[in-house]
Amino acid sequence: MIRSVVAGVDDSAEGFDAADWAAREALRRGLPLRLVHARKPGPPRGTPETGPPEPTAAERHARMLLHHVLDRLDERHPQLTITAEQVAGDPAAVLLAQAAEADLLVIGSQGRSGLGGFVSGAVAPVVAARSRRPVVLVRAGRTPEADHLPDARGRPSVHTPFRDVAVAVDIGEPSADDVLDFAFRAAELRHAPLRALHVWHAPVTHVLPDAEQRGRMRAAAQRELTGRLDPWRRKYPTVVVREAVPEGRPAHVLVRAAGGAGLLVIGTRRRRRPAGTHTGPVAHALVHHVRCPVALVPHD
């Protein structure tokens, strides 16, 4: 089966901007785009004797919405293969099922959810926590120009180089390789630098470490980060890597460090139980405070 980029579509601003971002990403990856609108199922209708039922208001709304988004994306990206479908069911369950065989799933990060099959907002953390495929969360207002550096006069442009890709690296996590592979590939596709961030902090003890001790800790963190990145530098030789080992608490430091990035990539541990509907405190803070799209790459 040919993989695709899947975009969850609703009638919020986040929904369309996420679909447009997904279209640009699909072009970069050379993949088709699949638009999915999830709507809550209604009661069974029609019988073999009466024939197929007339579409409900929700079905007609979903059809019009998908046609509208499809037409706009076709106009903007005529070279892209795009399909669209509406699926009855719980929005989070529908998106998880649709994303199972996708390259990645793209949804709005803070739109409406629930009534009418909206797929953003409260649905986003559930999907991000339980997906087995990478999920990218996009805020409303993310224009194509926002992915690029401003021009020489400081004006938005799509003709300037891409902003860098930032990735949070957990040195002690073996599954971080999935995160690094995604981040290096994203940087390669954009011909953009990769900013690799490893946040460290001194252990909590009754005696605070002095400047010399902190210097040794920082140097050790730098060596470990460089060693972790070396195999990926060899796999992606065209990607320019910039390393940073800021000190502090991950959520606070990463929000500041990701400023100006075009994409932030972080790892999230898969939640195997139905109750697992949250991505964790660091991912939660980043999704809510970082302005650029956030890619959450699952690992065990």
Side-chain angles (χ1 to χ4, degrees):
M1 177 184 295
I2 298 176
R3 286 194 182 275
S4 61
V5 173
V6 173
V9 176
D10 59 21
D11 60 1
S12 68
E14 284 84 357
F16 177 76
D17 289 337
D20 192 41
W21 190 94
R24 302 195 298 273
E25 186 68 11
L27 283 171
R28 283 189 285 268
R29 293 170 179 256
L31 296 174
L33 173 66
R34 184 151 48 94
L35 306 176
V36 177
H37 176 77
R39 59 175 177 79
K40 289 189 175 180
R45 298 175 295 115
T47 65
E49 291 77 20
T50 61
E54 290 294 319
T56 64
E59 290 169 338
R60 290 194 297 271
H61 173 77
R63 188 178 302 164
M64 291 175 60
L65 171 64
L66 286 171
H67 277 303
H68 174 67
V69 175
L70 188 59
D71 288 345
R72 290 180 66 181
L73 293 181
D74 273 337
E75 183 178 353
R76 292 188 180 192
H77 312 285
Q79 67 275 51
L80 180 62
T81 300
I82 310 175
T83 58
E85 62 180 310
Q86 57 171 301
V87 182
D90 172 74
V94 167
L95 290 174
L96 288 168
Q98 293 289 321
E101 300 299 326
D103 217 44
L104 74 160
L105 169 67
V106 183
I107 53 179
S109 62
Q110 293 184 0
R112 293 171 289 179
S113 63
L115 296 176
F118 301 130
V119 298
S120 303
V123 175
V126 177
V127 173
R130 297 175 59 188
S131 177
R132 300 190 66 81
R133 302 297 305 160
V135 177
V136 178
L137 303 179
V138 180
R139 285 177 176 265
R142 190 67 189 184
T143 64
E145 292 82 0
D147 292 337
H148 294 257
L149 295 170
D151 66 15
R153 296 184 179 181
R155 299 172 301 187
S157 173
V158 295
H159 303 296
T160 54
F162 277 93
R163 295 179 183 271
D164 58 3
V165 174
V167 57
V169 184
D170 186 347
I171 291 174
E173 177 57 65
S175 299
D177 284 347
D178 294 336
V179 180
L180 287 170
D181 196 22
F182 185 98
F184 268 85
R185 187 184 178 207
E188 181 184 58
L189 289 171
R190 291 163 172 76
H191 304 287
L194 179 67
R195 197 188 329 165
L197 305 164
H198 171 60
V199 183
W200 65 279
H201 61 87
V204 179
T205 64
H206 65 284
V207 179
L208 294 176
D210 58 24
E212 183 178 352
Q213 291 172 312
R214 270 197 157 81
R216 289 198 296 269
M217 293 177 188
R218 182 177 291 105
Q222 182 68 68
R223 287 193 300 272
E224 292 178 4
L225 176 61
T226 299
R228 193 63 187 268
L229 294 173
D230 280 346
W232 299 101
R233 282 190 168 99
R234 291 191 292 270
K235 182 176 179 179
Y236 295 92
T238 63
V239 175
V240 176
V241 182
R242 299 166 181 165
E243 301 179 25
V245 287
E247 179 184 2
R249 296 295 176 182
H252 298 91
V253 172
L254 288 171
V255 167
R256 295 194 303 270
L263 175 69
L264 172 64
V265 183
I266 59 176
T268 56
R269 191 173 296 278
R270 290 191 188 98
R271 308 296 185 188
R272 298 189 180 279
R273 295 175 299 171
T277 58
H278 299 285
T279 53
V282 174
H284 180 82
L286 293 173
V287 167
H288 282 79
H289 296 290
V290 173
R291 302 303 304 176
C292 68
V294 179
L296 300 107
V297 181
H299 60 78
D300 292 321

